[in-house]
């Protein structure tokens, strides 16, 4: 029942939005794109940069609103998990315990890229040129779906679930870096990042560091209490808006624009994990903000699924095959190979109760790209047949769950409740 509750909360709206978009696009492709590409503002400070008649202007469309503005909250949630794992004293990606999952994550990035680009090269220079920019699409792991499938296969108490979660978080971190570095949203103007940096530094000093310093000898904590109760998250919301705008103007994908603000928000030195219930009762501001955003982010994922999964079934082509093979072949092989390298030759080992075959199953579960793969496909290619075909590969990556469950039955995985 707890697992079903998790699926209902974190997956059902995303899947529903994707199905509605997919069905609508195949029934009436024209009206679907009329909605998704509808222009909200013809002259705007945010939006796609539109060139015409000798001048450039920003046009705010529904698609931009969803992918570049609203999805910033989703990536902030993923960034919060990465920040906890890397920066906190007891973070799950710190120390020797994370070595093997991190090696496996590296394999889960290298394997798909090698398969995707290798097969593309075999298909000829024309195909390679058309699809090469999508090399990062099969590197993604959908953290929510992979976690759900992992629990179905191994049970909540199996160490493989924790291993999978560490791998998925590390994969998210690598994916955020790839988006920022390799997929700029426009002509680079790095000086605009100073706006983001200034906003983050100022909000951290004025509303976090200095108040805590002033209150350090007072058990009543009057200044920090006043800021928490009277100002709440608003200073960080303003800093986030400025940081987002700085990213847009700098040419870095603005969906990543809230990430710099996360370390500035007051946070307890413990990680609660992915929206776990006992995180609700904790009083630190970062976890409080996360739980306030829970339902809005679920609705944002519904909109994202609708706006990005609307591709015609007939669009299946070479990019679809490349993305699928990268995910279903390259990622499991890479994770298995590098996981073995970290565990055996380098001597980092694997958690007690796990077998090497469990890492192979984890590799298949991690091949569910879905959400992040769809997002990367939307920025890697211009709208058109190649993008649609690549998105079909991301959608079909859900089939990795069936393969992983089948393999787990074949090798007799012992479920631990």
């Amino acid at each position: 029942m707890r697992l079903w509750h998790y699926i209902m909360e974190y997956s059902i709206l995303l899947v529903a939005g994707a199905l509605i978009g997919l069905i609508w696009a195949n029934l009436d492709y024209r009206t679907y794109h009329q909605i998704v590409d509808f222009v909200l503002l013809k002259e705007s400070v945010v939006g796609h940069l539109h060139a015409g008649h000798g001048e450039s202007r920003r046009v705010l469309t529904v698609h931009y609103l969803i992918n570049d503005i609203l999805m910033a909250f989703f990536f902030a949630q993923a960034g919060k998990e990465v920040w906890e794992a890397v920066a906190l004293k007891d973070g799950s990606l710190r120390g020797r315990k994370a070595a093997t999952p991190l090696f496996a994550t590296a394999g889960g990035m290298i394997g798909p890229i090698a398969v995707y680009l290798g097969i593309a090269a075999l298909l000829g220079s024309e195909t390679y040129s058309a699809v090469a920019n999508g090399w990062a699409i099969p590197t993604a792991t959908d953290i929510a779906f992979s976690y759900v499938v992992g629990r179905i296969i191994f049970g909540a108490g199996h160490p493989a679930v924790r291993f999978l979660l560490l791998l998925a978080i590390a994969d998210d971190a690598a994916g955020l870096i790839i988006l920022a570095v390799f997929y700029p949203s426009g002509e680079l103007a790095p000086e605009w990042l100073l706006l983001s940096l200034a906003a983050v530094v100022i909000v951290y000093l004025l509303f976090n560091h200095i108040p805590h310093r002033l209150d350090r000898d007072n058990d009543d904590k009057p200044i920090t209490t006043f800021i928490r109760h009277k100002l709440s998250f608003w200073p960080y919301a303003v800093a986030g808006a400025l940081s987002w705008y700085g990213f847009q103007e700098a040419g870095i994908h603005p969906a990543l624009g809230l990430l710099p603000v996360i370390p500035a928000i007051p946070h307890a030195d413990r990680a609660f994990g992915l929206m776990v219930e006992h995180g609700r009762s904790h009083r630190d501001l970062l976890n409080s903000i996360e739980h306030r955003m829970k339902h809005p982010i679920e609705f944002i994922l519904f909109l994202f699924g609708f706006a990005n999964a609307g591709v015609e079934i007939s669009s299946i082509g070479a990019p679809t095959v490349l993305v699928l093979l990268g995910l279903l072949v390259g990622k499991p092989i890479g994770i298995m190979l590098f996981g073995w390298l970290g565990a055996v030759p380098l001597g980092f080992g694997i958690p007690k109760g796990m077998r090497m075959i469990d890492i192979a199953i984890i590799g298949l579960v991690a091949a569910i790209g879905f959400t992040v793969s769809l997002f990367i496909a939307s920025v890697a290619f211009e709208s058109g047949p190649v993008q649609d075909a690549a998105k079909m590969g991301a959608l079909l990556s859900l089939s990795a769950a069936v393969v992983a469950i089948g393999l787990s039955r074949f090798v007799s995985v012992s479920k631990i409740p």
Side-chain angles (χ1 to χ4, degrees):
M1 289 301 295
R2 287 198 301 270
L3 179 60
W4 177 245
H5 181 68
Y6 184 94
I7 295 172
M8 291 296 290
E9 281 197 337
Y10 301 109
S11 305
I12 195 67
L13 284 176
L14 173 61
V15 173
L19 284 175
I20 291 171
L22 183 64
I23 293 170
W24 193 329
N26 281 275
L27 291 176
D28 193 336
Y29 192 75
R30 184 180 62 84
T31 59
Y32 169 80
H33 274 279
Q34 283 179 341
I35 292 173
V36 172
D37 298 325
F38 183 77
V39 176
L40 299 171
L41 289 172
K42 293 182 179 179
E43 299 283 349
S44 174
V45 296
V46 301
H48 293 291
L49 194 60
H50 177 74
H53 304 292
E55 60 181 21
S56 297
R57 57 189 174 89
R58 291 198 179 275
V59 177
L60 179 62
T61 63
V62 170
H63 190 271
Y64 189 92
L65 173 65
I66 295 169
N67 274 40
D68 295 55
I69 300 177
L70 296 181
M71 281 297 285
F73 295 101
F74 167 78
F75 283 109
Q77 182 193 68
K80 185 253 186 186
E81 301 300 324
V82 173
W83 168 248
E84 288 181 334
V86 172
L88 301 187
K89 183 174 65 177
D90 297 321
S92 56
L93 293 182
R94 293 186 65 170
R96 187 182 178 89
K97 63 187 175 184
T100 301
L102 287 176
F103 267 92
T105 301
M109 308 293 286
I110 295 170
I113 294 171
V115 169
Y116 183 96
L117 293 179
I119 297 177
L122 292 175
L123 294 176
S125 58
E126 186 176 342
T127 300
Y128 183 87
S129 299
V131 303
N133 202 46
W135 59 268
I137 300 172
T139 64
T141 294
D142 190 300
I143 188 170
F145 276 106
S146 63
Y147 179 63
V148 169
V149 175
R151 286 187 57 173
I152 290 173
I153 292 172
F154 295 105
H158 200 291
V161 174
R162 184 66 175 169
F163 188 102
L164 172 64
L165 193 55
L166 295 184
L167 186 149
I169 291 172
D171 194 278
D172 268 0
L176 295 176
I177 294 170
I178 286 173
L179 274 172
V181 175
F182 295 100
Y183 293 102
S185 60
E187 187 176 342
L188 291 178
E191 63 273 13
W192 275 97
L193 293 179
L194 293 174
L195 174 62
S196 176
L197 177 63
V200 172
V201 170
I202 291 171
V203 78
Y204 172 71
L205 290 176
L206 294 184
F207 300 98
N208 186 347
H209 181 71
I210 294 176
H212 278 88
R213 293 275 296 178
L214 294 174
D215 277 346
R216 67 184 182 276
D217 296 323
N218 190 332
D219 292 338
D220 293 332
K221 309 294 182 188
I223 300 174
T224 51
T225 300
F226 173 83
I227 290 174
R228 174 68 193 272
H229 289 141
K230 298 300 182 181
L231 300 180
S232 186
F233 63 88
W234 287 109
Y236 302 97
V238 172
L242 292 172
S243 178
W244 182 94
Y245 187 75
F247 269 56
Q248 177 192 249
E249 296 302 303
I252 298 174
H253 204 288
L256 307 178
L258 299 184
L259 295 179
V261 184
I262 293 170
I265 302 174
H267 192 296
D269 194 8
R270 63 180 295 190
F272 293 104
L274 200 62
M275 291 288 191
V276 293
E277 285 298 315
H278 59 266
R280 291 180 184 274
S281 61
H282 206 76
R283 299 179 64 186
D284 73 272
L285 186 57
L286 185 57
N287 276 288
S288 175
I289 291 173
E290 180 190 35
H291 282 282
R292 288 186 188 186
M293 289 303 300
K294 173 179 174 293
H295 294 302
I297 287 173
E298 290 169 8
F299 183 64
I300 288 169
L301 288 176
F302 169 82
L303 295 176
F304 172 80
F306 173 77
N308 289 273
V311 295
E312 293 180 290
I313 302 297
S314 59
S315 65
I316 292 176
T320 310
V321 176
L322 292 172
V323 170
L324 267 181
L325 289 177
L327 285 166
L328 296 181
V329 177
K331 188 171 275 285
I333 291 176
I335 288 174
M336 180 67 182
L337 180 61
F338 277 68
W340 172 83
L341 179 65
V344 181
L346 296 179
F348 295 121
I350 57 176
K352 185 178 179 181
M354 272 187 65
R355 306 169 297 167
M356 288 305 299
I357 190 62
D358 293 334
I359 296 183
I361 296 170
I362 287 171
L364 280 169
V365 176
I368 303 172
F370 201 57
T371 311
V372 183
S373 288
L374 275 175
F375 189 89
I376 296 176
S378 71
V379 300
F381 300 118
E382 296 290 334
S383 296
V386 176
Q387 185 190 93
D388 287 352
K391 284 184 175 181
M392 280 302 302
L395 292 171
L396 292 173
S397 71
L398 286 172
S399 61
V402 178
V403 180
I405 292 171
L407 178 61
S408 71
R409 299 291 185 267
F410 180 75
V411 301
S412 303
V413 168
S414 298
K415 243 175 136 172
I416 302 177

